[in-house]
Every structure is written in structure tokens, then in C-alpha cells.
Amino acid sequence: MKKIYITTPIYYSSGKPHLGHAYTTILADVIAKYKKAIGYDVFFTTGMDEHGQKIFDVAKKIKKDVEQMLDDNAKIFQELWKKLDISYDFFVRTTKQKHKKIVQKIFSYLYKKKYIYEGIWTSYYCPNCEENYTKTQAIKKNGKLFCKLGHELVFKNEPSFFLKTSKFQQWITNYFQKHQNFIYPSFRAKELINNFLEEGLKDLSISRKTLHWGIPIKENKEHVIYVWFDALFNYLTNLDFATKKCQNFTKYWKDKKCEIVHLMSKEISRFHCIYWPIMLKMLNLRLPNKVIIHGWIINNNEKMSKSKGNVIDPWQYINNFGSDALRYFLVKESSFENDFNFTDKFFCDVYNHDLANNYGNMLTRIVGMIKKYCHDVVPSLTKTNLDHNDQKIIIKRKEILKKYKNFINNYKIKDLLNEVQNSYLLLNKYIDETKPWILFKNREFSKLFNFLNIIFNFNCDLIILLSPILTQATKRIEKILHLKLNFELLNKDHAKLKIHSCPPLFERK
Ligand code: MSP
């Protein structure tokens, strides 16, 4: 059985989730569900990044006990994931004992191996992104230095532990060049080489002496572990790496045949594509197969983020349009190459066109015709009297069934959605041209039954192909059709199936 381990970033627990978090998590969930649907054994994880300066500062600012804030925020994230039908297999919180112990073990191991040493950390630091900048990488404005997201940098000069990442600069550059599929889309690898590798990779400061909100370092209790060193290892601690009960690590990480995929947006690609592979290399562990990087959701031409205060709340769309609508929109408009500007109008247009008019209305129309012309039972195909229009639809159905696995295997879900929407276009045309109401009036029953059988079967496939995204609608349709919808039912003939009335699935807005 094929296997895949897929992850989202773990989100900072400094506030509520916004549309950006929902975007990545939905994409990962949809990939996980599609892979499961075509027979993969899937392990999918997400969770909360709960240490670091930013978390500590926010708790202080809102006058909340840090742990209380973390519990509250983890709960809010999990409530949102539940509402959005996100089916993760493990939800990590980095303040949990298991995670902390494993990270300490890894730190001690790398220290013993002399990959970690003590020194003085002098750097320009972004406390918001928890990221180092050199003077050349920083953005200069009015004599001040800023990070790429526009936060002011703070100069740091303090004792620290370092990870010898500089030793691996050539290795990682070569790795990118030899493994063109490692980073998707591949142009991001060039960006990373230009921005971070060409000017020389510095050793990474991986401890803080001036902060206490982190995992204590056993070798020197005055320090805690830097949040990114702590957080990246969630991808191993989720699988119980370096514990007695490490079946999942053996099953999903050690087995080279298991596909490992990390998903995120571009601002954290440096950590996942440069530092994370180096850490794995130091531990003598295999690398992930793919780091998939998507663009940002932007709001009024600016990245949506908590620090800018321009975040969009996913709940308002879920409450007005349903969770399926948000899942569908974010997958349909997702882009690995570009950012996309979120507007209410855009959201509403896609909802009305794709979900209300095509998906929902098509089923209502077909069910209505089967009720009216065939006493609620899907008619059989007579195979005689098939005309050009019937043949066209049969061919289109075959085509999409031939292609869908390829789309899923190559993470091109958006392309699959485009195929599905093209099919709806064709089916609408098929109805207009066949004019079933005239066939009925003229008592051309064999033609009418062929038409209804063909259109019902094809539409069923389209519903199944969208089922990993439209989880709620699928449940409702299963009741209408009295059928458990899964990918094994693709390409089946549903003749003789008894169906029930179909209330509108997506009301027009
Ligand atoms: N805690 C780190 C990640 C550690 S992973 C080992 C972090 N957290 S975060 O809360 O800032 O989340 C960043 C991730 O949230 C992005 O990589 C992306 O997946 C998602 N997004 C947050 N804002 C986004 C947009 N405006 N647009 C698209 N995705 C965004 O970084």
C-alpha cells in the first residue's frame, strides 16, 4: 500500500486562526483526503507552535497567563478545524512533554556530535517572525532595518548555542540542484539560493539566554531552545521519533517508499528548505520528498497577517456560505506560483457559479427529471439510438476518469477542479441540446432513458471526484441517493438506483 505523511506548518499560538491558516490547512486536508480516496495510507498532522519570544510577549500584552492563552488558542484552532472537516491524524502542541523531551534528546545528541557549540550571537532579529537577518538581507527605511514582512528588526548581542549550518552550505545547494522536484514550484529554489545561500550560510543561533519561554537546554540551564529549532522537529516528534513506541516513525519516516510532504506559504520556505534538511542530514535521516510552497492570500495588496491587523476571519464565510464553500473556494483559487487577492465578490461569484449553478443545480435538475420521467429510478442504457451528443459525453467521462489520478498524484487538484467545471459546462449544453422534455412529450423513451442514464452516471462521478472537498454536500447527497460515495464507485452504471427528492444543496447568494 502506498503511504504519505503530509504536514502543515504548526501555527503560532499568539491569536486566533485567520484565513491564511485555513488556506494551508484546507489544502493539506484536501490532498490527504484525495490520496486516501485513491488508496494511500495517509498520516496527516497539524498543530500549534507554542514557544518563543512572540508568544511570551503577546501573553504579557493581553495580561493572560501564557499557558492559559495557549490552551484557549489551541481550542479555538481545533474548533475551526472541526467545523472545516479537517481530518488530521495528530495535533501537536509543542509545550507537551513528549515533544519537549524528544527535542532535548535531539539537542543533546547534536551537541555530543559537535554540531552544536557555544558562542556569541550578534544579529538583526525579527521578534515577530522569529527570524535572523544580516544587514544586507534587511530592508532599510528611514535609517531603520525591517524584515521582509515589514517588522522592525532588533539588534541582538548575547551568548548563544549555534548549529553548524555553515558546513552544509554547499551540500544543500547541490541538493537543490540534483533534486529538482524537492521544492515545488522549483523557482523557489532559485530564490533561496540567491537570497540566502550565495552570500554564505551562517551558523544558526539555536538558543536564547534572555527568554525563558522555551524548552530548557539540559547542557546549560540558562538557555532555552530557539523556537524554530524546537518547532521544525514537530515533524519527527509527531511520529514518536526516538521513543520506545516509534511505530509511526518506522512506518512513515524510515520507510523510503513513504512520500513525505510539507506544505506552507513562501515566507517560511527558508526554514523548511535549508535549515530543516540540514538538521535531518546531521541526524543521518532521510529528507522529505517535497516541500510544497504556496503564495499568500492578500487583502488590499498586503499580506494578511495578525501583526498588520488585516486578517480575514474564516468563520464569517463558514456561517454565511457553509464550510464546503470555503474549502472549495480556497482550493479552486489556490496558487503555488502567485498570491491571490481575496474579496467578498470574488468569493461569492465562485460560490454562485461553481457550487450553486453547476454542482447543486445539476443534481437537482437530474433528480427532478428522473422523478418525473422514470418514477424515481435511474433508467438503464439501451445502447441503441446513441447519438453524437451522447457519445461526446461518454467520451468526456472516460477522459476525466483517465486523468484524475494523475492530477492527484501530482498535487494538481486545482486542475482537476477545472476539468470538473468544464464537464459541467458540457453537461449543461447536453441538456439544452437534447431537450429531454421534448423527448418525453414525443414519447421517445429509449433516447430519453439513454440521456438520463448517461447524465446521471457522469454527474455521479463528478460528485465523487469533488467529495474530498465538498464533505458536507457529499453527506447530503449520500442520503438522496442512498449510496455511500467513494472512488470505487467511479465509472459505475447506477441503473435501477432509487433516488429521493433533492433539496437545493447550495442556495444562490
Ligand atoms: N510557527 C511558524 C511555523 C513553524 S512550522 C515548523 C509560523 N507560524 S504562523 O502562525 O505564522 O503560520 C505561518 C503559516 O500560516 C504560513 O506558512 C501559511 O501556511 C499560513 N499563512 C499565514 N498567513 C498566510 C497568508 N496571508 N496567506 C497564505 N498563507 C498564510 O510561521
PDB file of all heavy atoms in Angstrom, residues 176 181-186 188 192 235 260-265 268-274 276-277 287-294 336:
ATOM      1  N   PHE A 176      19.654  20.955  -3.885  1.00  0.00           N
ATOM      2  CA  PHE A 176      18.612  21.639  -4.678  1.00  0.00           C
ATOM      3  C   PHE A 176      18.823  21.375  -6.160  1.00  0.00           C
ATOM      4  O   PHE A 176      17.885  21.166  -6.910  1.00  0.00           O
ATOM      5  CB  PHE A 176      18.671  23.158  -4.477  1.00  0.00           C
ATOM      6  CG  PHE A 176      18.160  23.649  -3.149  1.00  0.00           C
ATOM      7  CD1 PHE A 176      18.189  25.012  -2.848  1.00  0.00           C
ATOM      8  CD2 PHE A 176      17.654  22.780  -2.207  1.00  0.00           C
ATOM      9  CE1 PHE A 176      17.726  25.481  -1.635  1.00  0.00           C
ATOM     10  CE2 PHE A 176      17.193  23.239  -0.982  1.00  0.00           C
ATOM     11  CZ  PHE A 176      17.240  24.597  -0.697  1.00  0.00           C
ATOM     12  N   ASN A 181      12.833  18.216  -8.034  1.00  0.00           N
ATOM     13  CA  ASN A 181      11.441  18.078  -7.572  1.00  0.00           C
ATOM     14  C   ASN A 181      11.285  18.287  -6.075  1.00  0.00           C
ATOM     15  O   ASN A 181      10.192  18.189  -5.543  1.00  0.00           O
ATOM     16  CB  ASN A 181      10.907  16.682  -7.902  1.00  0.00           C
ATOM     17  CG  ASN A 181      10.781  16.509  -9.386  1.00  0.00           C
ATOM     18  OD1 ASN A 181      10.532  17.483 -10.102  1.00  0.00           O
ATOM     19  ND2 ASN A 181      10.985  15.295  -9.853  1.00  0.00           N
ATOM     20  N   PHE A 182      12.394  18.565  -5.406  1.00  0.00           N
ATOM     21  CA  PHE A 182      12.326  18.688  -3.944  1.00  0.00           C
ATOM     22  C   PHE A 182      11.463  19.896  -3.540  1.00  0.00           C
ATOM     23  O   PHE A 182      10.635  19.812  -2.639  1.00  0.00           O
ATOM     24  CB  PHE A 182      13.752  18.822  -3.385  1.00  0.00           C
ATOM     25  CG  PHE A 182      13.813  19.070  -1.904  1.00  0.00           C
ATOM     26  CD1 PHE A 182      13.168  18.221  -1.020  1.00  0.00           C
ATOM     27  CD2 PHE A 182      14.533  20.150  -1.394  1.00  0.00           C
ATOM     28  CE1 PHE A 182      13.227  18.453   0.358  1.00  0.00           C
ATOM     29  CE2 PHE A 182      14.598  20.379  -0.026  1.00  0.00           C
ATOM     30  CZ  PHE A 182      13.946  19.528   0.847  1.00  0.00           C
ATOM     31  N   ILE A 183      11.675  21.006  -4.230  1.00  0.00           N
ATOM     32  CA  ILE A 183      10.897  22.204  -3.897  1.00  0.00           C
ATOM     33  C   ILE A 183       9.910  22.465  -5.022  1.00  0.00           C
ATOM     34  O   ILE A 183      10.282  22.507  -6.193  1.00  0.00           O
ATOM     35  CB  ILE A 183      11.830  23.416  -3.719  1.00  0.00           C
ATOM     36  CG1 ILE A 183      12.834  23.126  -2.604  1.00  0.00           C
ATOM     37  CG2 ILE A 183      11.023  24.687  -3.425  1.00  0.00           C
ATOM     38  CD1 ILE A 183      13.832  24.224  -2.361  1.00  0.00           C
ATOM     39  N   TYR A 184       8.650  22.622  -4.651  1.00  0.00           N
ATOM     40  CA  TYR A 184       7.629  22.883  -5.662  1.00  0.00           C
ATOM     41  C   TYR A 184       6.911  24.188  -5.304  1.00  0.00           C
ATOM     42  O   TYR A 184       6.459  24.329  -4.188  1.00  0.00           O
ATOM     43  CB  TYR A 184       6.633  21.718  -5.701  1.00  0.00           C
ATOM     44  CG  TYR A 184       5.551  21.930  -6.720  1.00  0.00           C
ATOM     45  CD1 TYR A 184       5.791  21.689  -8.073  1.00  0.00           C
ATOM     46  CD2 TYR A 184       4.293  22.403  -6.327  1.00  0.00           C
ATOM     47  CE1 TYR A 184       4.796  21.908  -9.009  1.00  0.00           C
ATOM     48  CE2 TYR A 184       3.298  22.618  -7.265  1.00  0.00           C
ATOM     49  CZ  TYR A 184       3.549  22.366  -8.597  1.00  0.00           C
ATOM     50  OH  TYR A 184       2.569  22.582  -9.522  1.00  0.00           O
ATOM     51  N   PRO A 185       6.806  25.160  -6.169  1.00  0.00           N
ATOM     52  CA  PRO A 185       7.353  25.217  -7.514  1.00  0.00           C
ATOM     53  C   PRO A 185       8.871  25.447  -7.485  1.00  0.00           C
ATOM     54  O   PRO A 185       9.391  26.069  -6.563  1.00  0.00           O
ATOM     55  CB  PRO A 185       6.653  26.412  -8.139  1.00  0.00           C
ATOM     56  CG  PRO A 185       5.978  27.153  -7.058  1.00  0.00           C
ATOM     57  CD  PRO A 185       6.000  26.348  -5.829  1.00  0.00           C
ATOM     58  N   SER A 186       9.542  24.948  -8.533  1.00  0.00           N
ATOM     59  CA  SER A 186      11.006  24.888  -8.491  1.00  0.00           C
ATOM     60  C   SER A 186      11.675  26.269  -8.509  1.00  0.00           C
ATOM     61  O   SER A 186      12.809  26.398  -8.067  1.00  0.00           O
ATOM     62  CB  SER A 186      11.521  24.022  -9.628  1.00  0.00           C
ATOM     63  OG  SER A 186      11.060  24.551 -10.834  1.00  0.00           O
ATOM     64  N   ARG A 188      11.241  28.567  -6.603  1.00  0.00           N
ATOM     65  CA  ARG A 188      11.519  28.968  -5.207  1.00  0.00           C
ATOM     66  C   ARG A 188      12.935  28.544  -4.785  1.00  0.00           C
ATOM     67  O   ARG A 188      13.541  29.176  -3.930  1.00  0.00           O
ATOM     68  CB  ARG A 188      10.514  28.347  -4.252  1.00  0.00           C
ATOM     69  CG  ARG A 188       9.075  28.700  -4.552  1.00  0.00           C
ATOM     70  CD  ARG A 188       8.581  29.822  -3.678  1.00  0.00           C
ATOM     71  NE  ARG A 188       7.194  30.111  -3.977  1.00  0.00           N
ATOM     72  CZ  ARG A 188       6.697  31.324  -4.191  1.00  0.00           C
ATOM     73  NH1 ARG A 188       7.461  32.384  -4.133  1.00  0.00           N
ATOM     74  NH2 ARG A 188       5.424  31.502  -4.456  1.00  0.00           N
ATOM     75  N   LEU A 192      15.835  30.899  -3.061  1.00  0.00           N
ATOM     76  CA  LEU A 192      16.544  30.583  -1.821  1.00  0.00           C
ATOM     77  C   LEU A 192      18.052  30.631  -2.027  1.00  0.00           C
ATOM     78  O   LEU A 192      18.784  31.118  -1.168  1.00  0.00           O
ATOM     79  CB  LEU A 192      16.122  29.204  -1.305  1.00  0.00           C
ATOM     80  CG  LEU A 192      14.699  29.139  -0.749  1.00  0.00           C
ATOM     81  CD1 LEU A 192      14.239  27.706  -0.566  1.00  0.00           C
ATOM     82  CD2 LEU A 192      14.610  29.883   0.593  1.00  0.00           C
ATOM     83  N   TYR A 235       7.874  17.642  13.136  1.00  0.00           N
ATOM     84  CA  TYR A 235       7.644  16.676  12.061  1.00  0.00           C
ATOM     85  C   TYR A 235       8.168  15.285  12.428  1.00  0.00           C
ATOM     86  O   TYR A 235       7.740  14.292  11.852  1.00  0.00           O
ATOM     87  CB  TYR A 235       8.278  17.179  10.760  1.00  0.00           C
ATOM     88  CG  TYR A 235       7.740  18.536  10.321  1.00  0.00           C
ATOM     89  CD1 TYR A 235       8.596  19.581   9.959  1.00  0.00           C
ATOM     90  CD2 TYR A 235       6.371  18.775  10.278  1.00  0.00           C
ATOM     91  CE1 TYR A 235       8.105  20.817   9.564  1.00  0.00           C
ATOM     92  CE2 TYR A 235       5.869  20.007   9.893  1.00  0.00           C
ATOM     93  CZ  TYR A 235       6.735  21.031   9.535  1.00  0.00           C
ATOM     94  OH  TYR A 235       6.237  22.250   9.150  1.00  0.00           O
ATOM     95  N   ILE A 260       6.952  11.907   1.806  1.00  0.00           N
ATOM     96  CA  ILE A 260       6.825  12.889   2.893  1.00  0.00           C
ATOM     97  C   ILE A 260       6.692  14.274   2.263  1.00  0.00           C
ATOM     98  O   ILE A 260       7.527  14.669   1.444  1.00  0.00           O
ATOM     99  CB  ILE A 260       8.034  12.851   3.839  1.00  0.00           C
ATOM    100  CG1 ILE A 260       8.170  11.452   4.453  1.00  0.00           C
ATOM    101  CG2 ILE A 260       7.905  13.910   4.935  1.00  0.00           C
ATOM    102  CD1 ILE A 260       9.378  11.280   5.340  1.00  0.00           C
ATOM    103  N   VAL A 261       5.636  14.977   2.648  1.00  0.00           N
ATOM    104  CA  VAL A 261       5.345  16.258   2.015  1.00  0.00           C
ATOM    105  C   VAL A 261       5.053  17.322   3.064  1.00  0.00           C
ATOM    106  O   VAL A 261       4.198  17.125   3.927  1.00  0.00           O
ATOM    107  CB  VAL A 261       4.099  16.125   1.094  1.00  0.00           C
ATOM    108  CG1 VAL A 261       3.743  17.452   0.470  1.00  0.00           C
ATOM    109  CG2 VAL A 261       4.345  15.100   0.020  1.00  0.00           C
ATOM    110  N   HIS A 262       5.787  18.431   2.998  1.00  0.00           N
ATOM    111  CA  HIS A 262       5.494  19.573   3.873  1.00  0.00           C
ATOM    112  C   HIS A 262       4.849  20.669   3.039  1.00  0.00           C
ATOM    113  O   HIS A 262       5.315  20.983   1.952  1.00  0.00           O
ATOM    114  CB  HIS A 262       6.779  20.148   4.471  1.00  0.00           C
ATOM    115  CG  HIS A 262       7.547  19.196   5.333  1.00  0.00           C
ATOM    116  ND1 HIS A 262       6.974  18.446   6.338  1.00  0.00           N
ATOM    117  CD2 HIS A 262       8.867  18.876   5.346  1.00  0.00           C
ATOM    118  CE1 HIS A 262       7.910  17.725   6.927  1.00  0.00           C
ATOM    119  NE2 HIS A 262       9.060  17.958   6.342  1.00  0.00           N
ATOM    120  N   LEU A 263       3.799  21.249   3.600  1.00  0.00           N
ATOM    121  CA  LEU A 263       3.087  22.312   2.891  1.00  0.00           C
ATOM    122  C   LEU A 263       3.136  23.602   3.711  1.00  0.00           C
ATOM    123  O   LEU A 263       3.027  23.559   4.932  1.00  0.00           O
ATOM    124  CB  LEU A 263       1.628  21.861   2.738  1.00  0.00           C
ATOM    125  CG  LEU A 263       0.738  22.665   1.830  1.00  0.00           C
ATOM    126  CD1 LEU A 263       1.150  22.471   0.385  1.00  0.00           C
ATOM    127  CD2 LEU A 263      -0.716  22.221   1.981  1.00  0.00           C
ATOM    128  N   MET A 264       3.267  24.742   3.036  1.00  0.00           N
ATOM    129  CA  MET A 264       3.366  26.035   3.759  1.00  0.00           C
ATOM    130  C   MET A 264       3.326  27.166   2.766  1.00  0.00           C
ATOM    131  O   MET A 264       3.357  26.922   1.549  1.00  0.00           O
ATOM    132  CB  MET A 264       4.694  26.108   4.510  1.00  0.00           C
ATOM    133  CG  MET A 264       5.880  26.341   3.600  1.00  0.00           C
ATOM    134  SD  MET A 264       7.362  25.560   4.146  1.00  0.00           S
ATOM    135  CE  MET A 264       6.890  23.874   4.254  1.00  0.00           C
ATOM    136  N   SER A 265       3.348  28.423   3.274  1.00  0.00           N
ATOM    137  CA  SER A 265       3.492  29.515   2.312  1.00  0.00           C
ATOM    138  C   SER A 265       4.925  30.026   2.324  1.00  0.00           C
ATOM    139  O   SER A 265       5.737  29.669   3.174  1.00  0.00           O
ATOM    140  CB  SER A 265       2.450  30.609   2.526  1.00  0.00           C
ATOM    141  OG  SER A 265       2.703  31.361   3.671  1.00  0.00           O
ATOM    142  N   ILE A 268       8.126  31.028   4.979  1.00  0.00           N
ATOM    143  CA  ILE A 268       8.887  30.140   5.861  1.00  0.00           C
ATOM    144  C   ILE A 268       9.615  29.035   5.082  1.00  0.00           C
ATOM    145  O   ILE A 268      10.016  28.021   5.650  1.00  0.00           O
ATOM    146  CB  ILE A 268       8.014  29.568   7.006  1.00  0.00           C
ATOM    147  CG1 ILE A 268       6.792  28.829   6.468  1.00  0.00           C
ATOM    148  CG2 ILE A 268       7.567  30.664   7.951  1.00  0.00           C
ATOM    149  CD1 ILE A 268       5.990  28.116   7.571  1.00  0.00           C
ATOM    150  N   SER A 269       9.799  29.281   3.782  1.00  0.00           N
ATOM    151  CA  SER A 269      10.478  28.271   2.957  1.00  0.00           C
ATOM    152  C   SER A 269      11.955  28.152   3.351  1.00  0.00           C
ATOM    153  O   SER A 269      12.539  27.075   3.269  1.00  0.00           O
ATOM    154  CB  SER A 269      10.355  28.632   1.486  1.00  0.00           C
ATOM    155  OG  SER A 269      10.874  29.913   1.276  1.00  0.00           O
ATOM    156  N   ARG A 270      12.567  29.247   3.791  1.00  0.00           N
ATOM    157  CA  ARG A 270      13.982  29.214   4.177  1.00  0.00           C
ATOM    158  C   ARG A 270      14.222  28.179   5.284  1.00  0.00           C
ATOM    159  O   ARG A 270      15.163  27.407   5.251  1.00  0.00           O
ATOM    160  CB  ARG A 270      14.359  30.615   4.652  1.00  0.00           C
ATOM    161  CG  ARG A 270      15.699  30.769   5.299  1.00  0.00           C
ATOM    162  CD  ARG A 270      15.726  32.170   5.909  1.00  0.00           C
ATOM    163  NE  ARG A 270      16.985  32.585   6.426  1.00  0.00           N
ATOM    164  CZ  ARG A 270      17.186  33.803   6.960  1.00  0.00           C
ATOM    165  NH1 ARG A 270      16.224  34.703   6.982  1.00  0.00           N
ATOM    166  NH2 ARG A 270      18.352  34.137   7.441  1.00  0.00           N
ATOM    167  N   PHE A 271      13.311  28.167   6.266  1.00  0.00           N
ATOM    168  CA  PHE A 271      13.474  27.212   7.362  1.00  0.00           C
ATOM    169  C   PHE A 271      13.267  25.776   6.898  1.00  0.00           C
ATOM    170  O   PHE A 271      13.974  24.872   7.307  1.00  0.00           O
ATOM    171  CB  PHE A 271      12.492  27.529   8.499  1.00  0.00           C
ATOM    172  CG  PHE A 271      12.867  28.780   9.230  1.00  0.00           C
ATOM    173  CD1 PHE A 271      12.232  29.976   8.954  1.00  0.00           C
ATOM    174  CD2 PHE A 271      13.882  28.759  10.170  1.00  0.00           C
ATOM    175  CE1 PHE A 271      12.593  31.143   9.610  1.00  0.00           C
ATOM    176  CE2 PHE A 271      14.255  29.926  10.838  1.00  0.00           C
ATOM    177  CZ  PHE A 271      13.606  31.120  10.560  1.00  0.00           C
ATOM    178  N   HIS A 272      12.248  25.597   6.057  1.00  0.00           N
ATOM    179  CA  HIS A 272      11.908  24.228   5.655  1.00  0.00           C
ATOM    180  C   HIS A 272      12.812  23.661   4.567  1.00  0.00           C
ATOM    181  O   HIS A 272      12.967  22.449   4.479  1.00  0.00           O
ATOM    182  CB  HIS A 272      10.443  24.173   5.189  1.00  0.00           C
ATOM    183  CG  HIS A 272       9.475  24.233   6.316  1.00  0.00           C
ATOM    184  ND1 HIS A 272       9.088  25.419   6.894  1.00  0.00           N
ATOM    185  CD2 HIS A 272       8.846  23.247   7.006  1.00  0.00           C
ATOM    186  CE1 HIS A 272       8.248  25.166   7.880  1.00  0.00           C
ATOM    187  NE2 HIS A 272       8.081  23.863   7.968  1.00  0.00           N
ATOM    188  N   CYS A 273      13.353  24.539   3.741  1.00  0.00           N
ATOM    189  CA  CYS A 273      14.133  24.026   2.602  1.00  0.00           C
ATOM    190  C   CYS A 273      15.632  24.065   2.879  1.00  0.00           C
ATOM    191  O   CYS A 273      16.392  23.341   2.235  1.00  0.00           O
ATOM    192  CB  CYS A 273      13.834  24.821   1.341  1.00  0.00           C
ATOM    193  SG  CYS A 273      12.112  24.765   0.899  1.00  0.00           S
ATOM    194  N   ILE A 274      16.076  24.930   3.782  1.00  0.00           N
ATOM    195  CA  ILE A 274      17.518  24.999   4.063  1.00  0.00           C
ATOM    196  C   ILE A 274      17.836  24.380   5.426  1.00  0.00           C
ATOM    197  O   ILE A 274      18.557  23.393   5.529  1.00  0.00           O
ATOM    198  CB  ILE A 274      18.025  26.463   3.988  1.00  0.00           C
ATOM    199  CG1 ILE A 274      17.808  27.015   2.566  1.00  0.00           C
ATOM    200  CG2 ILE A 274      19.509  26.540   4.381  1.00  0.00           C
ATOM    201  CD1 ILE A 274      18.211  28.466   2.368  1.00  0.00           C
ATOM    202  N   TRP A 276      15.942  22.852   7.811  1.00  0.00           N
ATOM    203  CA  TRP A 276      15.346  21.553   8.161  1.00  0.00           C
ATOM    204  C   TRP A 276      16.090  20.385   7.487  1.00  0.00           C
ATOM    205  O   TRP A 276      16.486  19.430   8.165  1.00  0.00           O
ATOM    206  CB  TRP A 276      13.853  21.580   7.839  1.00  0.00           C
ATOM    207  CG  TRP A 276      13.088  20.312   8.064  1.00  0.00           C
ATOM    208  CD1 TRP A 276      12.254  19.705   7.179  1.00  0.00           C
ATOM    209  CD2 TRP A 276      13.046  19.499   9.243  1.00  0.00           C
ATOM    210  NE1 TRP A 276      11.703  18.574   7.719  1.00  0.00           N
ATOM    211  CE2 TRP A 276      12.183  18.424   8.988  1.00  0.00           C
ATOM    212  CE3 TRP A 276      13.689  19.561  10.496  1.00  0.00           C
ATOM    213  CZ2 TRP A 276      11.921  17.429   9.929  1.00  0.00           C
ATOM    214  CZ3 TRP A 276      13.417  18.560  11.432  1.00  0.00           C
ATOM    215  CH2 TRP A 276      12.548  17.516  11.154  1.00  0.00           C
ATOM    216  N   PRO A 277      16.362  20.447   6.185  1.00  0.00           N
ATOM    217  CA  PRO A 277      17.143  19.354   5.580  1.00  0.00           C
ATOM    218  C   PRO A 277      18.523  19.203   6.221  1.00  0.00           C
ATOM    219  O   PRO A 277      18.998  18.079   6.407  1.00  0.00           O
ATOM    220  CB  PRO A 277      17.287  19.778   4.119  1.00  0.00           C
ATOM    221  CG  PRO A 277      16.139  20.671   3.871  1.00  0.00           C
ATOM    222  CD  PRO A 277      15.884  21.388   5.161  1.00  0.00           C
ATOM    223  N   LEU A 287      15.465  12.829   3.844  1.00  0.00           N
ATOM    224  CA  LEU A 287      14.795  14.127   3.689  1.00  0.00           C
ATOM    225  C   LEU A 287      13.361  13.922   3.202  1.00  0.00           C
ATOM    226  O   LEU A 287      13.058  12.881   2.621  1.00  0.00           O
ATOM    227  CB  LEU A 287      15.571  14.969   2.661  1.00  0.00           C
ATOM    228  CG  LEU A 287      16.627  15.920   3.222  1.00  0.00           C
ATOM    229  CD1 LEU A 287      17.508  15.278   4.237  1.00  0.00           C
ATOM    230  CD2 LEU A 287      17.441  16.532   2.105  1.00  0.00           C
ATOM    231  N   PRO A 288      12.511  14.936   3.397  1.00  0.00           N
ATOM    232  CA  PRO A 288      11.172  14.835   2.803  1.00  0.00           C
ATOM    233  C   PRO A 288      11.286  14.773   1.278  1.00  0.00           C
ATOM    234  O   PRO A 288      12.268  15.246   0.718  1.00  0.00           O
ATOM    235  CB  PRO A 288      10.498  16.155   3.204  1.00  0.00           C
ATOM    236  CG  PRO A 288      11.409  16.834   4.124  1.00  0.00           C
ATOM    237  CD  PRO A 288      12.730  16.185   4.104  1.00  0.00           C
ATOM    238  N   ASN A 289      10.273  14.229   0.630  1.00  0.00           N
ATOM    239  CA  ASN A 289      10.312  14.190  -0.838  1.00  0.00           C
ATOM    240  C   ASN A 289      10.006  15.550  -1.434  1.00  0.00           C
ATOM    241  O   ASN A 289      10.536  15.893  -2.482  1.00  0.00           O
ATOM    242  CB  ASN A 289       9.262  13.223  -1.379  1.00  0.00           C
ATOM    243  CG  ASN A 289       9.481  11.848  -0.855  1.00  0.00           C
ATOM    244  OD1 ASN A 289       9.233  11.582   0.317  1.00  0.00           O
ATOM    245  ND2 ASN A 289      10.002  10.985  -1.689  1.00  0.00           N
ATOM    246  N   LYS A 290       9.128  16.285  -0.739  1.00  0.00           N
ATOM    247  CA  LYS A 290       8.663  17.522  -1.352  1.00  0.00           C
ATOM    248  C   LYS A 290       8.321  18.565  -0.321  1.00  0.00           C
ATOM    249  O   LYS A 290       7.707  18.269   0.702  1.00  0.00           O
ATOM    250  CB  LYS A 290       7.353  17.202  -2.092  1.00  0.00           C
ATOM    251  CG  LYS A 290       7.452  17.471  -3.567  1.00  0.00           C
ATOM    252  CD  LYS A 290       6.140  17.271  -4.238  1.00  0.00           C
ATOM    253  CE  LYS A 290       6.225  17.225  -5.722  1.00  0.00           C
ATOM    254  NZ  LYS A 290       7.466  17.218  -6.392  1.00  0.00           N
ATOM    255  N   VAL A 291       8.744  19.786  -0.625  1.00  0.00           N
ATOM    256  CA  VAL A 291       8.269  20.914   0.160  1.00  0.00           C
ATOM    257  C   VAL A 291       7.407  21.719  -0.818  1.00  0.00           C
ATOM    258  O   VAL A 291       7.907  22.221  -1.823  1.00  0.00           O
ATOM    259  CB  VAL A 291       9.450  21.763   0.677  1.00  0.00           C
ATOM    260  CG1 VAL A 291       8.923  22.953   1.471  1.00  0.00           C
ATOM    261  CG2 VAL A 291      10.370  20.915   1.550  1.00  0.00           C
ATOM    262  N   ILE A 292       6.129  21.769  -0.532  1.00  0.00           N
ATOM    263  CA  ILE A 292       5.221  22.475  -1.447  1.00  0.00           C
ATOM    264  C   ILE A 292       4.949  23.862  -0.859  1.00  0.00           C
ATOM    265  O   ILE A 292       4.518  23.982   0.293  1.00  0.00           O
ATOM    266  CB  ILE A 292       3.895  21.723  -1.645  1.00  0.00           C
ATOM    267  CG1 ILE A 292       4.169  20.302  -2.142  1.00  0.00           C
ATOM    268  CG2 ILE A 292       2.992  22.477  -2.603  1.00  0.00           C
ATOM    269  CD1 ILE A 292       2.916  19.515  -2.486  1.00  0.00           C
ATOM    270  N   ILE A 293       5.209  24.864  -1.688  1.00  0.00           N
ATOM    271  CA  ILE A 293       5.111  26.236  -1.182  1.00  0.00           C
ATOM    272  C   ILE A 293       4.046  26.995  -1.964  1.00  0.00           C
ATOM    273  O   ILE A 293       4.116  27.075  -3.194  1.00  0.00           O
ATOM    274  CB  ILE A 293       6.475  26.935  -1.357  1.00  0.00           C
ATOM    275  CG1 ILE A 293       7.549  26.127  -0.600  1.00  0.00           C
ATOM    276  CG2 ILE A 293       6.426  28.373  -0.856  1.00  0.00           C
ATOM    277  CD1 ILE A 293       8.954  26.492  -0.988  1.00  0.00           C
ATOM    278  N   HIS A 294       3.071  27.530  -1.235  1.00  0.00           N
ATOM    279  CA  HIS A 294       2.047  28.309  -1.953  1.00  0.00           C
ATOM    280  C   HIS A 294       2.238  29.796  -1.687  1.00  0.00           C
ATOM    281  O   HIS A 294       2.982  30.189  -0.775  1.00  0.00           O
ATOM    282  CB  HIS A 294       0.638  27.831  -1.598  1.00  0.00           C
ATOM    283  CG  HIS A 294       0.280  27.963  -0.145  1.00  0.00           C
ATOM    284  ND1 HIS A 294       0.037  29.166   0.459  1.00  0.00           N
ATOM    285  CD2 HIS A 294       0.127  27.027   0.819  1.00  0.00           C
ATOM    286  CE1 HIS A 294      -0.270  28.962   1.725  1.00  0.00           C
ATOM    287  NE2 HIS A 294      -0.213  27.680   1.986  1.00  0.00           N
ATOM    288  N   PHE A 336       0.306  28.047  -6.303  1.00  0.00           N
ATOM    289  CA  PHE A 336       1.653  27.809  -5.793  1.00  0.00           C
ATOM    290  C   PHE A 336       2.619  28.842  -6.354  1.00  0.00           C
ATOM    291  O   PHE A 336       3.670  29.054  -5.806  1.00  0.00           O
ATOM    292  CB  PHE A 336       2.092  26.381  -6.118  1.00  0.00           C
ATOM    293  CG  PHE A 336       1.203  25.364  -5.471  1.00  0.00           C
ATOM    294  CD1 PHE A 336       0.348  24.575  -6.221  1.00  0.00           C
ATOM    295  CD2 PHE A 336       1.171  25.234  -4.095  1.00  0.00           C
ATOM    296  CE1 PHE A 336      -0.504  23.670  -5.599  1.00  0.00           C
ATOM    297  CE2 PHE A 336       0.328  24.343  -3.464  1.00  0.00           C
ATOM    298  CZ  PHE A 336      -0.515  23.553  -4.221  1.00  0.00           C
TER     299      PHE A 336
END
